[in-house]
Each structure stands twice: as C-alpha cells, then as structure tokens.
Amino acid sequence: MNPTLVLIGVAVLLSLQSVWCVQEDPTHGKDHNPIHKEHYHDGAHDPHYDHEAILGDRQLEKEFDELEPEEAKRRLGVLAGEMDANKDGYVSRDELVQWIMNSFRKLDMEDSLEQFEESDENADNKVTWKEYLSRNHGFDINDFKDYTEEDAVSEFTKKLKVLEEDKKRFDAADLDKDGALKKDEFVAYLYPADFPHMHDVEMERTLQDHDKNKDGIITKEEFLADTDKNDKQLLLLEEERFTDFDKNRDGILDKKEIKDWVLPDNNEAAVEEAEHLIERSDSDKDGKLSIEEIVNNHEDFVGSQATNYGEFLPKDEL
C-alpha cells in the first residue's frame, strides 16, 4: 500500500474521530450463540444451558438457587402457561422453539447492554464510534500524537483495512445516521446476524477478505487461506467446518452457504434445544408438553433456582 495514500486515509479517518482496534475476524470465529457456553462438555450435559435458554436472563438463572422446589414448580407452571401461546393447555414444539428464540434475543440484549453502559463514557445514552473503540480497546486517538510518520504508516497499514470494515458495520447499525448508536442500534452492531439490515455489510466484508478472485463464491482453498498449514489439528478442524457449510458438497460456498457461515442465526440451536427438552420431558410421547409434564421436570427447565421472571410473569402471580 502506498505510504502517502495510507497517511491520507489516516487523516480522513481521524477527522471522523475514529481510532483503530484489533478485532478478531468474525468469519473465522465462534458461531453466534448468545448463551456463550456449550450444551455438552466432554460428553457431560450442562443443565445451565437449558435454564438460560428458558429464562433468557443469567441473573435470574442464578437467583433460582434461593427458591424451594415447590415454589420453583409453581412459578414454572405460570411460566409454562406463558409458553402456551394458543392456550390449548400444551406447549408444542413450535411454541417452545419460539420461546427459546426469544430467550436467545434477551441474552444478546443483556450482553449488549453491559457493553453499552461500559462504552457510554459520558452517560448520554448513546455510544459514538470513538467512545466504543476507546473504551473497549484501550486506545485513544490522542495516543497517536507522538507517533513518527514511519511508525504511523506501519501501524495504519496493518489496521486501516480492519478499521474501515468495522466502521462500515457501525454506520450500518446507525439507522438514524446521527453518528452514534442507541441501545437498540448497539445490539445490531454487536450481533449483526439477528438484524437483516446488517447482513449486506457483513457479506461484503467476508467476500472482500476471502473471495480472492472476486467471483462471488468461496472455494475451499480460499476458505483455508488464512489457516496455519503447520497446525495440522487446526487445519483438519477448518476443513471439517468447510464441509459442514458446503451443504450441497460441490466444493465451493455459494451465497446462501456463505450467509449461513457468516451470519448464523439461532433457529437451529433453538430447535435442537426444544427437541432436547421435549425428549426428556414428554412422558406420554405425544410430541408436545403439557403444563404438568413441564412442572414435573422442573430441574430440566429451571432447576431449583428462584426468579422474579421480570416481564415473563404477571405481577399478581408472583
């Protein structure tokens, strides 16, 4: 990259009050999972995954510890009534999936609000680009004042591309174009997979990074291009991931397959979790859960922990 052009780019970005950050490539990171834990560890089942998937709130899941089993069952019974959207006395597979999807969205929001509060340095209920990067990456624009031209060129040559791409995502999340993110915009910035208006910028980022010949698809070689070939275990893992994403086994990732890779939604995880809970609790094997079946298996759904349920429970039921 031409050093002069780099410095021009730096000046432009700095005039926009931008700072660089080191950011993990989202296309080779973790799949979107708001619970941020595995359902199984070395073959052992983690019940907390189930509890968070039902409650949609980590603090509520912890608070359940204080509740006696009978009270836990009573509250779960009320909660199960809320899951029963059509009020037929049963929680169907689809109703349970939708409930879990809603819990996942709540967990995403919980995480984003924590980061929002940390990033909103002047407490004005919005986060600017400068605030977010300065707070979360510990690097302020003023830190560049003592850089030599040579050092600035070196650093920004490495970081300018990442910065430009990340700023595009920030701008896409900024729906009202006021230069800052409100709480609902901030969650879209952190979790673009959940928001259709964020999809184009994420797809563009991935194709720019991996589609070397600009033909709109990603080959296996392009997918593995940034993988350390000397790390045989990692290479094998990435090859298996490519095979998983290549649904039609044609050796390439087309647009839909790329989207499934880059923007994984939580529907598949919600379906798996719903089927897991039904399998464990459906005593009469009719493919749906009665309120009684849910309450009788309360340890699978909420354990023995207390919660105030927040918006889930009507106040007069508590």
Side-chain angles (χ1 to χ4, degrees), residues 253-301:
L253 301 184
D254 58 30
K255 186 174 182 179
K256 183 180 185 306
E257 291 168 335
I258 294 171
K259 184 176 180 180
D260 290 342
W261 165 35
V262 178
L263 295 161
D265 62 32
N266 286 312
N267 185 71
E268 183 176 348
V271 169
E272 290 177 355
E273 175 63 9
E275 291 178 346
H276 164 75
L277 289 171
I278 291 173
E279 180 182 6
R280 291 178 64 88
S281 306
D282 183 18
S283 58
D284 60 7
K285 305 303 178 185
D286 62 354
K288 56 187 177 182
L289 299 178
S290 67
I291 305 301
E292 181 180 5
E293 286 173 327
I294 292 174
V295 171
N296 286 344
N297 292 276
H298 75 281
E299 291 291 346
D300 286 323
F301 288 84

Side-chain angles (χ1 to χ4, degrees), residues 189-213:
Y189 174 76
L190 292 183
Y191 298 102
D194 290 337
F195 299 88
H197 69 276
M198 300 294 295
H199 291 182
D200 286 348
V201 70
E202 290 299 293
M203 290 288 287
E204 178 185 348
R205 179 205 295 256
T206 301
L207 288 172
Q208 286 180 347
D209 288 346
H210 299 282
D211 180 19
K212 305 303 182 183
N213 61 3

Side-chain angles (χ1 to χ4, degrees), residues 5-31:
L5 292 178
V6 172
L7 288 177
I8 292 173
V10 168
V12 171
L13 288 171
L14 291 181
S15 70
L16 295 174
Q17 290 188 312
S18 301
V19 294
W20 64 266
C21 66
V22 181
Q23 180 170 322
E24 178 181 326
D25 180 2
T27 61
H28 270 289
K30 301 174 182 177
D31 290 341

Side-chain angles (χ1 to χ4, degrees), residues 221-239:
E221 290 71 23
E222 290 172 329
F223 184 90
L224 298 173
D226 297 328
T227 303
D228 183 359
K229 304 302 186 296
N230 294 319
D231 189 335
K232 301 303 181 183
Q233 185 175 358
L234 177 61
L235 183 60
L236 179 60
L237 177 63
E238 289 299 288
E239 288 176 343

